[in-house]
Amino acid sequence: MKKKHHPKKKPSIYKKWAGKLHLWLGLSVGLIIFIVSLSGTMYVFKDEIQNQLRKDAISVKTETVTQLPLSVEVLKEKITLELNEKYPVSSVEIPLDKSKSYKFIFYEKDKKAWNYFDEIKINKLIYVNQYTGEILGIYNEKYDLFPILKSIHWSLLLKSAWGKYVVGIPVVLFIIMLITGIILWWPKNKKMRKGRFSFDWKNVKTWKRKNYDLHNVLGFYASFIALLLSLSGLYFAYPWVKNAFNFTLSGSLELPKEKTIRSPDSLLAKNNSVFDLTIPQTQKLYSESSSFRIPLNGKNKKGKELENIPVTVYGKDGRYSERNQLFYDKYSGKLLSNKPHQKLTNAEKYANANYDVHVGSYFGIFGKILWFATGLICASLPVTGFLVWWGKRKKQGKKTV
């Protein structure tokens, strides 16, 4: 008796169109996804690597530690004279750990530039022994590996203001690819489900089949974290994504705006040691924190004049999620406002945490390892996907001969 021939079931209309979308989008933005994924993956362990490479600059010698460090104003003037930069010192980051050095930052941008190297006029990080004034390390961050990787990941080395859209649009398409990939992966029955979760290469000899399984299985496992990575990345790029997060978390499209606090002390003459007046107050209020940053050039990120002195306090080393905000009068150093992390709305808390979520540090070292592995898989998907398409294309070409 002849065996009955069961015709192969045609894929559903959903899978048919999901397959076409998955292929077209993959071929159109695959290269950008590969570059963005790989650069982001290489950036994940930035803090751990830099802390090792710069450990001599980060820590001060025990014998130099005294009860009181030198004035920030004195240290600032010393650095300015020694480095002779044409741009002023932007800010200082002060650790709560007395054995760690101060970090002074020079940072200036050119709004008219079109690429990363022209846009960043200066980005230097200076480690200083706050007790002796000795410069422990000078790092030109503009040409350092990690800021360059960050710019590649964020804007493909284009101007950050619009380069983010050059990356953002492919990321939106990548999200569609992830969703269509899950649709294509989804098994029709229980029998097929077994082979979708793991590799079974005992009887598989062809590289095409192994490559297909790599794309299929690894893509499924990475897809859910990849969706989180993509959405947290788009949060930085598109206001509508941020507004959607804000509305979901706190019921309002926009984050609460900081009110300018007027102080009668603003009529006084400016105290040259005003920054030093803010330091002990901050240390007393947040003694369990990691560090805090004080702007020294009197300007915000947009280059506008600051009405007061905003001091940002970081709760944990290498994390930005637990952030507290203080405001001091820029003339007298009087504390005007204290906004601890606990009093923030859910949307504000997430705004502070989004960077940590995106790089995995929010979930500790385990999160970073998982994010690193996911990033590698995301970088591999355009490659394995292209090889799947190329293999099918060659096969179809042979049939028509």
Side-chain angles (χ1 to χ4, degrees):
M1 284 183 68
K2 290 184 178 179
K3 288 183 180 180
K4 288 183 179 180
H5 178 69
H6 296 282
K8 194 175 181 181
K9 289 184 180 180
K10 290 183 179 180
S12 66
I13 189 71
Y14 299 108
K15 285 205 173 187
K16 184 180 178 181
W17 280 104
K20 287 184 177 182
L21 264 179
H22 195 76
L23 173 61
W24 294 338
L25 296 180
L27 291 175
S28 60
V29 299
L31 181 60
I32 294 177
I33 296 302
F34 172 78
I35 294 169
V36 171
S37 298
L38 189 61
S39 57
T41 303
M42 293 171 70
Y43 186 84
V44 167
F45 289 105
K46 174 187 80 78
D47 291 337
E48 287 77 8
I49 293 169
Q50 283 191 340
N51 287 345
Q52 283 300 310
L53 294 175
R54 301 179 181 182
K55 59 183 178 182
D56 292 334
I58 291 171
S59 301
V60 299
K61 291 179 181 178
T62 309
E63 60 269 22
T64 64
V65 178
T66 59
Q67 192 64 30
L68 292 173
L70 295 173
S71 162
V72 165
E73 198 64 39
V74 169
L75 294 171
K76 175 188 168 185
E77 290 300 320
K78 188 178 186 300
I79 293 165
T80 303
L81 287 171
E82 286 197 33
L83 271 68
N84 195 28
E85 293 288 350
K86 61 179 179 179
Y87 302 105
V89 179
S90 307
S91 60
V92 60
E93 187 169 330
I94 299 173
L96 271 291
D97 186 344
K98 291 185 177 182
S99 66
K100 290 185 176 180
S101 58
Y102 282 13
K103 289 192 286 188
F104 285 84
I105 298 104
F106 287 87
Y107 190 80
E108 195 79 28
K109 292 175 76 173
D110 181 2
K111 294 179 181 179
K112 296 178 181 179
W114 68 272
N115 66 74
Y116 165 78
F117 293 104
D118 290 338
E119 182 182 18
I120 306 299
K121 291 181 178 180
I122 186 171
N123 184 11
K124 280 190 177 180
L125 182 57
I126 319 299
Y127 291 88
V128 180
N129 184 325
Q130 60 269 34
Y131 307 104
T132 64
E134 178 191 0
I135 293 177
L136 303 174
I138 301 172
Y139 295 91
N140 193 344
E141 299 282 88
K142 178 178 177 177
Y143 299 105
D144 190 73
L145 173 64
F146 291 107
I148 291 173
L149 284 173
K150 186 179 179 181
S151 180
I152 293 171
H153 184 74
W154 171 255
S155 63
L156 295 179
L157 290 178
L158 299 171
K159 184 180 179 179
S160 59
W162 53 266
K164 62 184 179 182
Y165 300 116
V166 177
V167 171
I169 293 169
V171 171
V172 172
L173 299 180
F174 181 58
I175 290 174
I176 298 171
M177 288 167 62
L178 290 170
I179 295 168
T180 54
I182 292 170
I183 293 170
L184 292 170
W185 172 92
W186 204 264
K188 293 178 183 178
N189 50 54
K190 289 182 179 180
K191 189 177 179 181
M192 291 183 69
R193 195 177 300 164
K194 291 180 180 179
R196 299 294 174 96
F197 286 103
S198 59
F199 304 110
D200 186 10
W201 288 345
K202 287 181 180 178
N203 300 316
V204 176
K205 294 180 180 179
T206 63
W207 70 267
K208 287 182 182 179
R209 179 65 199 186
K210 289 180 179 180
N211 177 72
Y212 175 81
D213 287 346
L214 282 171
H215 187 79
N216 210 24
V217 178
L218 293 181
F220 170 74
Y221 283 116
S223 58
F224 299 101
I225 295 176
L227 281 169
L228 178 58
L229 282 167
S230 300
L231 288 171
S232 58
L234 291 176
Y235 182 95
F236 290 119
Y238 294 110
W240 59 269
V241 176
K242 183 181 284 189
N243 292 343
F245 271 81
N246 293 341
F247 187 78
T248 304
L249 294 169
S250 294
S252 175
L253 290 175
E254 294 185 358
L255 296 173
K257 292 183 178 179
E258 292 291 345
K259 295 179 180 179
T260 302
I261 304 167
R262 302 288 180 183
S263 169
D265 293 342
S266 297
L267 301 173
L268 302 173
K270 189 171 183 179
N271 187 333
N272 289 330
S273 301
V274 66
F275 298 119
D276 295 296
L277 296 174
T278 67
I279 293 171
Q281 295 180 75
T282 304
Q283 290 172 329
K284 186 177 180 181
L285 285 167
Y286 294 100
S287 58
E288 300 300 316
S289 296
S290 171
S291 63
F292 55 95
R293 182 172 291 199
I294 307 172
L296 301 177
N297 61 355
K299 295 180 181 179
N300 62 13
K301 290 181 180 179
K302 295 181 179 179
K304 292 183 179 180
E305 195 74 23
L306 290 169
E307 294 287 338
N308 301 302
I309 302 174
V311 176
T312 306
V313 185
Y314 304 108
K316 294 181 180 179
D317 192 28
R319 291 269 294 271
Y320 298 95
S321 50
E322 293 181 24
R323 207 181 304 179
N324 312 285
Q325 190 72 60
L326 299 166
F327 287 92
Y328 294 93
D329 184 88
K330 67 178 181 179
Y331 295 95
S332 67
K334 179 183 176 181
L335 180 64
L336 302 176
S337 171
N338 177 15
K339 196 173 183 180
H341 170 77
Q342 293 80 2
K343 290 187 178 181
L344 300 178
T345 64
N346 289 331
E348 286 176 306
K349 286 178 180 177
Y350 185 80
N352 290 342
N354 189 66
Y355 173 85
D356 292 339
V357 170
H358 192 64
V359 300
S361 60
Y362 187 82
F363 308 99
I365 192 64
F366 173 77
K368 285 197 169 191
I369 293 169
L370 191 58
W371 261 230
F372 181 83
T374 302
L376 284 179
I377 294 171
C378 288
S380 76
L381 291 176
V383 179
T384 54
F386 177 82
L387 291 174
V388 169
W389 170 76
W390 188 257
K392 286 182 178 179
R393 186 171 172 271
K394 286 184 75 177
K395 189 177 180 181
Q396 288 173 354
K398 285 180 180 179
K399 284 182 179 179
T400 56
V401 175

